[in-house]
Each structure stands twice: as structure tokens, then as C-alpha cells.
Amino acid sequence: MDRFRASANSFLSQFEPLTLLLSPLLSLLTAWILHSFFHVVRDKGLKPTLLGFFINSIKLVPGVKSYIAAEKQKVVNQLQSGSTSKRDGWRSELPRAGLGVGVLDNMKDEKRKDVSWQGKCSGTVYIAGSEAEGHFSLINEACSMFAHTNPLHMDVFQSVVRFESEVVSMTATLLGGKEKASGGQVCGNMTSGGTESILLAVKSSRDFMKAKKGITRPEMIIPESAHSAYDKAAQYFNIKLWRIPVNKEFIADVGAIRRRINRNTILIVGSAPGFPHGIIDPIEELGELAFSSEICFHVDLCLGGFVLPFARKLGYPIPPFDFSVKGVTSISADVHKYGLAPKGTSIVLYRNHDIRKNQFVAVTEWSGGLYVSPTIAGSRPGGLIAGAWAAMMSLGFEGYSENTREIMEVSKRIQKGIKDISELFIVGRPDMTIVAFGSNVIDIFEVNDILSSKGWHLNALLRPNSIHICVTLQHVPVVEDFLKDLRDAVQTVKQNPGPISGGLAPIYGAAGKMPDRVMVQELLVDFMDTSC
């Protein structure tokens, strides 16, 4: 040791003391930079990381940042399309004297200014007819009858507590809850919509897997076609999110998902169908993967929950998608879509109570007493629960079956009509009532702008650039009108290519091509921040 110490001191004596002091610090700094770089590359990939570094470097050039900010504001203003001026007359203070029942006249005046949505919107309104009659009228009356209720007070509003339990149980039965393969313990709750159902399923999966495997750095894996609610859940619950590209058929790539699974994976996701293209992911294969990997598997049935069970009974070739599939641990299904319930009603279901219990929040050390809540919301509108129960009870299995037959037939007619337009192609092979279509010869977003000018409201999609229509009962009487307007819009764009005044085609086109995805995010946030 003495010889080693003497040799080391002799060797180090040739260096300056300051160099000896700084070298370890610089080495640590270099190691930290490399660690951070490789961590970012692991999360985002090499190309996006290098691109982000390059773009951020450009922004450091004097004048570039202010120029980009000005250009972003122009885009935000165009997205708002004059909505700022419409808000100039909006109230910011209470009226000095209340309007009493006269407020209803004011509300009717404002309602008349809304866009005419009857038969013209993709999804949005799923009930047929007008708001003053039929199923609309029934739902409105049911909601108003229980508008004052709150299921948080279980001892007071026992009626809506029962309604919720029965809505959940009936939905569970539709989705394989009584099949032997389900285990016979399917349970759940009503929520405010598909996003809350997904949030709760993710949160429950995270906590369940923490208790089961001790995972403290949770990750989940989803196809890029999965709903953006998973991004929200990842941010809210501090979960690493992996988005995996879909395969050439636009469905979840099971092999790619398998390769991404690691010891921190808590959850994988499949959709039946996916929102963008209306295509069902390979639920059985994903279920087997989840089961063999001992992780959770959530199936997003927000769109398909009240269509697929009936479509299967009607003879449509619907692959397995529910709790009859081994490995499925949770399901979300919206009643306010094809369940024809009032807006703000969805269901989250779990295979068993062991998973579902992780959804609850129970507080024992509050001076206000003991508290337990099953969902994100504490107080919940009992009127919406009553409206969902009324919808399901009034329609019954036969009513939903007839509705499914109608919208599936309309969906097939729309697919055939699009195939007859040579300039268009259908994205993938739609399984249900969503039809996405694009073009290799014209700008599909310009077609969408022409359709918008005719009163149609479709959804613009990326990867690939396309638009889709989500077929509802509102479209049954106007399907030929839609196909005619679509044919006319395609010919208009073909003969006169170029964006129309006030159209959003340039923005959607730029958003699809813009390499700086952070800038696209900032545009969306700036738009939302100034819209309310």
C-alpha cells in the first residue's frame, strides 16, 4: 500500500491541483449529460431527440423566437375563426336584478344560435329525431325528474343508487359478465364519460400492479390509434406512456407491444373499435399477451359497447372483445353514445373486486368524518344516472338490436359510396360504424372544408391524413345527401385545388407535416387557453 501510495502521488504530482480538483467534477457533469441524453433517447427515440435539439438551438437565434410566437398567434387566431369577437358581449357579472323565469327565453334565444346538427355531425348526437319528441323527450323528462339527486348521499337518494347499480349490471351482462370465462365477479361504476372511465381504469391498474408486483415506476403500452385519454391518464398519474405504431391494417401490432413489455409494465390497451378508423384491435391476442405477462389489459369499448353485442347477435362477423376473453381486466363503455343516454354517462367495469377496489379513495383522518368516493367526482348528477337507466329500460335488447341494424346498414352504404369515388380510399377495413377515408390525388382536408361549408361536421385525422364519419341514427334519413355532397366536394377540389377562405385545411396539413411536435402542442394549448 505504501508503494502504491508513493507511486500514485508521484504520478499525480505532474498535474496542477486545480486540474485534479475539476476533473472529477467535469467527469460527473459529462456522465450526467450523457445519462440525461440517453434517457431522452430512450423515451422519445434518437431522431426526435436530435430534431428537438436542432429546433431548440434555432430558437436561440435572436429574433427567431419572437417570429415563431407571432406566427403561432396567427394560427391560433385562424383556429378561433372569429370566436373572440363573439365573446365581446358575454357577461362577466351577475345581473343586478334576477331574470326569474324570463331567463328561459334568453336561453332559447342562445340555443337558436347553435349550429344545426340534425343529421350533419359525425357522432356528437346519437339519438334519432328532434329534441322535442320521442326518445329525446323521454330522456329529458327522466333527467329533470331526478335533477336534484346525488348518489353520494346513498341513504337519501336510494332510487338513483339502485339505477346506477342496475345500469352497471345490465352493461356487464352485455359485455360477457355472465360468461363462465369472466369469473362471475364483473363489477364497476358509472362515470361522467369515456375519459373518466379510462382514467379510473388506468389508476386502478397502476395501484393493483403496485400491490401485486411492487411496481413503483409504472409504464403502459398503447397503440397509436388508442384514445388520447390515455395520454391524460399518463400525465395525471405519473405513468410512462409508450405509443406503438399500428400495423399495415391499422390495428394494434401485438408483436411490437410484446417487445416493449418490461418489468415496469402495468397495462396494455386495445380498442373495439378504435376512434380514428373504426377498426377492432386483436383483443384475443392482446388478452393472451397480458395474461401470460401477468399485467392488466384494458379494452376501450366506449364506442362499441352498445353496438358490438347486438351486431354479433345480428350475424355480423364481430371478433371476441369482452370479458369472455382471457386476460381482459377492465372495460370502458359509453352509455351516452350508442346507449342513447344523456351526455355525461359512461361505465367502467372490472373483472373482479380486487382490481376495482383500487379505484376508490377512502379518508379516515378528516375532521368532517369518514369519507369514501368511488369515482373522480364526489358529488355526481343523479339525473344523468336516471336518464341512462331510462334509456336502457325503454329500448331494451330488441330496441338496441334494431338501432344497430339501421346504423350498420347505413355504414355499409357509406363505405360503398366512398369506394365508388375513384379519388378516395377507405382507411383499413371498418368493423363497425366509423368510416375513415383519405385520398392520394387531392387534399382530403380541402374536401373536409367544402363539406363544412355545406353544414357537415366530420373529424379530421392524421397518420394518414384522412377524415371520418361516425354514423348515428341521425344519418339514417340523410345518407344519400351526404354521399352526394361528398361527391360534389371531391370534384370541386379536383377542379379547383387550393384552400378555401376561412378553411382549416392549411392548418391540418401543416400540423401533419410539422416536425416540431412540441410546437403543435403549444398551438393547441394556446388555442384552448384563449377560448374560455
Side-chain angles (χ1 to χ4, degrees):
M1 290 297 296
D2 287 339
R3 285 196 300 271
F4 173 77
R5 180 166 59 85
S7 176
N9 286 334
S10 175
F11 174 76
L12 293 174
S13 65
Q14 60 185 309
F15 299 100
E16 294 183 12
L18 184 61
T19 301
L20 295 175
L21 179 65
L22 292 180
S23 292
L25 297 177
L26 290 174
S27 298
L28 286 173
L29 178 61
T30 301
W32 178 79
I33 292 173
L34 288 173
H35 177 270
S36 300
F37 175 77
F38 286 120
H39 183 73
V40 173
V41 170
R42 177 179 174 271
D43 284 354
K44 297 183 178 180
L46 180 60
K47 183 178 178 181
T49 299
L50 294 176
L51 184 62
F53 176 78
F54 174 72
I55 291 174
N56 287 332
S57 299
I58 292 177
K59 290 179 181 178
L60 295 176
V61 177
V64 171
K65 191 172 183 178
S66 59
Y67 173 78
I68 292 175
E71 292 300 309
K72 279 168 55 181
Q73 190 57 48
K74 290 179 183 178
V75 176
V76 170
N77 291 340
Q78 188 173 352
L79 283 170
Q80 289 178 325
S81 299
S83 60
T84 303
S85 60
K86 295 177 183 176
R87 294 197 299 273
D88 289 343
W90 289 8
R91 286 186 177 274
S92 59
E93 297 180 2
L94 284 169
R96 182 167 295 277
L99 302 180
V101 295
V103 71
L104 297 177
D105 292 329
N106 284 24
M107 296 177 75
K108 290 175 183 177
D109 290 339
E110 290 300 321
K111 188 177 179 64
R112 279 191 281 269
K113 298 175 185 177
D114 287 347
V115 170
S116 177
W117 48 260
Q118 286 80 359
K120 291 281 189 175
C121 292
S122 171
T124 311
V125 179
Y126 292 77
I127 303 173
S130 69
E131 293 178 282
E133 59 187 14
H135 191 76
F136 266 120
S137 180
L138 181 148
I139 295 302
N140 292 341
E141 185 171 350
C143 289
S144 64
M145 192 184 306
F146 291 86
H148 60 283
T149 63
N150 179 359
L152 185 65
H153 303 283
M154 299 175 64
D155 55 332
V156 179
F157 302 114
Q158 298 176 33
S159 54
V160 293
V161 172
R162 174 183 173 177
F163 292 156
E164 177 177 14
S165 178
E166 292 189 356
V167 167
V168 170
S169 296
M170 290 188 288
T171 305
T173 299
L174 283 176
L175 303 179
K178 289 191 174 180
E179 299 289 332
K180 185 177 180 180
S182 74
Q185 294 188 46
V186 176
C187 51
N189 284 93
M190 290 190 67
T191 71
S192 62
T195 293
E196 186 183 359
S197 291
I198 288 171
L199 288 174
L200 288 171
V202 172
K203 188 264 184 191
S204 300
S205 299
R206 182 199 66 176
D207 293 354
F208 176 73
M209 292 300 292
K210 181 179 181 180
K212 180 181 178 181
K213 288 187 173 183
I215 296 175
T216 57
R217 298 177 64 185
E219 300 181 7
M220 63 176 169
I221 308 168
I222 68 174
E224 66 179 3
S225 57
H227 198 276
S228 53
Y230 297 100
D231 295 80
K232 185 179 289 188
Q235 292 184 35
Y236 283 5
F237 304 133
N238 195 27
I239 298 172
K240 171 62 187 173
L241 178 67
W242 296 102
R243 271 193 179 275
I244 306 299
V246 294
N247 64 20
K248 61 183 180 180
E249 296 177 336
F250 298 96
I251 62 175
D253 188 330
V254 179
I257 291 174
R258 180 184 291 108
R259 290 189 292 274
R260 180 56 69 180
I261 291 175
N262 60 46
R263 63 183 181 181
N264 290 320
T265 304
I266 61 166
L267 175 72
I268 61 174
V269 168
S271 303
F275 169 81
H277 312 123
I279 302 172
I280 298 174
D281 286 327
I283 302 302
E284 280 190 305
E285 294 179 54
L286 290 169
E288 178 60 37
L289 176 59
F291 186 80
S292 62
S293 303
E294 297 184 315
I295 57 177
C296 294
F297 174 33
H298 181 76
V299 179
D300 182 356
L301 276 163
C302 289
L303 273 165
F306 284 82
V307 173
L308 296 182
F310 308 102
R312 184 166 54 186
K313 289 286 187 181
L314 291 170
Y316 287 93
I318 305 297
F321 57 85
D322 56 20
F323 283 112
S324 63
V325 176
K326 182 173 66 173
V328 173
T329 53
S330 58
I331 285 176
S332 52
D334 286 356
V335 201
H336 65 204
K337 290 188 172 74
Y338 291 106
L340 308 189
K343 289 299 178 184
T345 50
S346 179
I347 307 289
V348 58
L349 296 171
Y350 300 95
R351 181 171 286 272
N352 56 53
H353 292 271
D354 288 340
I355 305 173
R356 181 205 185 198
K357 286 177 181 178
N358 294 279
Q359 173 182 295
F360 301 161
V361 171
V363 181
T364 61
E365 305 303 318
W366 178 36
S367 60
L370 301 177
Y371 177 89
V372 62
S373 177
T375 61
I376 292 176
S379 295
R380 292 183 291 150
L384 296 183
I385 295 173
W389 187 84
M392 295 177 70
M393 293 295 290
S394 65
L395 289 167
F397 196 93
E398 292 181 0
Y400 282 120
S401 295
E402 178 58 24
N403 290 341
T404 298
R405 184 189 63 79
E406 289 192 57
I407 56 178
M408 290 293 282
E409 286 183 0
V410 169
S411 175
K412 299 303 179 186
R413 287 169 65 185
I414 289 176
Q415 290 182 53
K416 182 181 183 303
I418 293 172
K419 289 178 181 177
D420 290 340
I421 302 173
S422 61
E423 294 83 1
L424 302 180
F425 66 84
I426 293 177
V427 180
R429 291 177 293 184
D431 289 302
M432 210 181 80
T433 52
I434 295 174
V435 185
F437 52 96
S439 176
N440 292 321
V441 294
I442 56 176
D443 189 330
I444 196 64
F445 296 135
E446 291 180 12
V447 172
N448 193 34
D449 282 345
I450 298 294
L451 289 171
S452 296
S453 70
K454 296 175 181 288
W456 298 97
H457 300 272
L458 307 189
N459 292 91
L461 312 171
L462 300 173
R463 300 178 182 177
N465 288 355
S466 51
I467 56 180
H468 86 205
I469 180 169
C470 178
V471 177
T472 73
L473 292 172
Q474 287 281 331
H475 298 119
V476 173
V478 298
V479 59
E480 293 303 326
D481 294 337
F482 170 71
L483 290 173
K484 179 183 181 302
D485 285 347
L486 177 59
R487 287 191 293 268
D488 291 345
V490 168
Q491 290 307 310
T492 298
V493 173
K494 187 176 181 180
Q495 295 167 11
N496 301 284
I500 66 173
S501 177
L504 297 179
I507 294 175
Y508 279 108
K513 298 175 183 177
M514 192 178 295
D516 186 1
R517 308 314 292 173
V518 174
M519 186 180 296
V520 179
Q521 289 178 334
E522 291 173 351
L523 281 172
L524 294 175
V525 172
D526 287 347
F527 166 67
M528 182 59 66
D529 189 44
T530 56
S531 64
C532 57

